[in-house]
Amino acid sequence: MTLTTFALIRHGQTDWNAQRRLQGSTDIPLNDTGRDQARDAVAVLSGYEWDAIVSSPLSRAAETADLIAAGLGLSVARRVPELTERRFGPAEGLQAGPELDALRIPNGFRGAESEDEAACRGLAALEGLAEEFRGRRVLVVAHGTLIRVSLGRAVARTLQSIDNAVLNLAHHHAVDGWQLEYFNGERVVAAVQG
């Protein structure tokens, strides 16, 4: 059985994360805490051998990937536009409150990419990487909502929010599909043999 292993890492913290603002596709950079989180992630990730590192092109994910790659003595293969965070439209930059509530519709916000659209886009990107890197280990740095909805669709489970710069480890098999081994740094199934 040929397995492709994915580490799916949410970028480190940004000021908007700390302020609990919706970021979406707005390009907000890492803050110092986020840079420290990216460097700290290296300790867990160094327990594996990685064949490739890819990331979203948004600066918070790209910088997280660059910091992790430097810590692992690797380089980032490329930025994958399809791994950009879900677009929240006019809700981006807002915090919980009346202004955000006024934009709410079932499963999202007016003028935003739907959760289903984001899940389809993200999972298609991951399946493309699984085909390209079949049987190898790929480290993907992207965004919380995109990882949550894409991975949730892949394993047919509703997942909680994704923590910054922690290990989410999933395995892909062309016939048997996806299996989640670690979520938010915690083991969820027994290790998979490949």
Side-chain angles (χ1 to χ4, degrees):
M1 180 162 83
T2 303
L3 288 174
T4 306
T5 297
F6 286 88
L8 301 166
I9 308 293
R10 179 185 178 192
H11 59 80
Q13 186 188 78
T14 69
D15 287 345
W16 277 20
N17 289 147
Q19 297 164 4
R20 303 189 60 78
R21 294 182 184 279
L22 279 180
Q23 288 180 120
S25 59
T26 303
D27 199 2
I28 304 300
L30 291 180
N31 61 23
D32 288 339
T33 298
R35 289 181 189 93
D36 289 342
Q37 290 171 331
R39 290 182 195 100
D40 290 347
V42 172
V44 172
L45 295 168
S46 64
Y48 302 87
E49 289 187 26
W50 299 104
D51 296 304
I53 301 175
V54 300
S55 80
S56 156
L58 293 179
S59 64
R60 59 191 182 266
E63 185 177 2
T64 300
D66 291 345
L67 290 166
I68 290 171
L72 296 173
L74 301 170
S75 60
V76 176
R78 70 177 180 277
R79 312 299 180 193
V80 179
E82 295 80 12
L83 294 174
T84 300
E85 180 61 294
R86 178 180 173 193
R87 294 177 302 280
F88 288 107
E92 291 187 14
L94 299 179
Q95 296 170 303
E99 193 177 1
L100 185 61
D101 289 342
L103 294 171
R104 287 191 190 279
I105 58 172
N107 299 313
F109 302 97
R110 277 196 310 279
E113 180 180 27
S114 73
E115 188 170 288
D116 187 56
E117 290 167 330
C120 287
R121 173 173 56 84
L123 186 54
L126 293 175
E127 299 220 335
L129 291 167
E131 179 65 28
E132 179 180 350
F133 295 103
R134 183 176 297 217
R136 299 170 78 193
R137 292 179 173 272
V138 184
L139 199 159
V140 175
V141 181
H143 306 272
T145 299
L146 186 80
I147 293 171
R148 179 181 59 79
V149 299
S150 302
L151 193 53
R153 167 132 335 150
V155 300
R157 289 177 52 185
T158 299
L159 299 173
Q160 300 170 333
S161 62
I162 307 287
D163 295 336
N164 291 101
V166 298
L167 179 65
N168 300 287
L169 193 70
H171 306 279
H172 178 270
H173 183 265
V175 176
D176 297 329
W178 292 85
Q179 184 176 28
L180 184 58
E181 184 177 351
Y182 281 88
F183 183 73
N184 275 340
E186 301 290 328
R187 184 180 291 279
V188 293
V189 298
V192 177
Q193 301 298 315

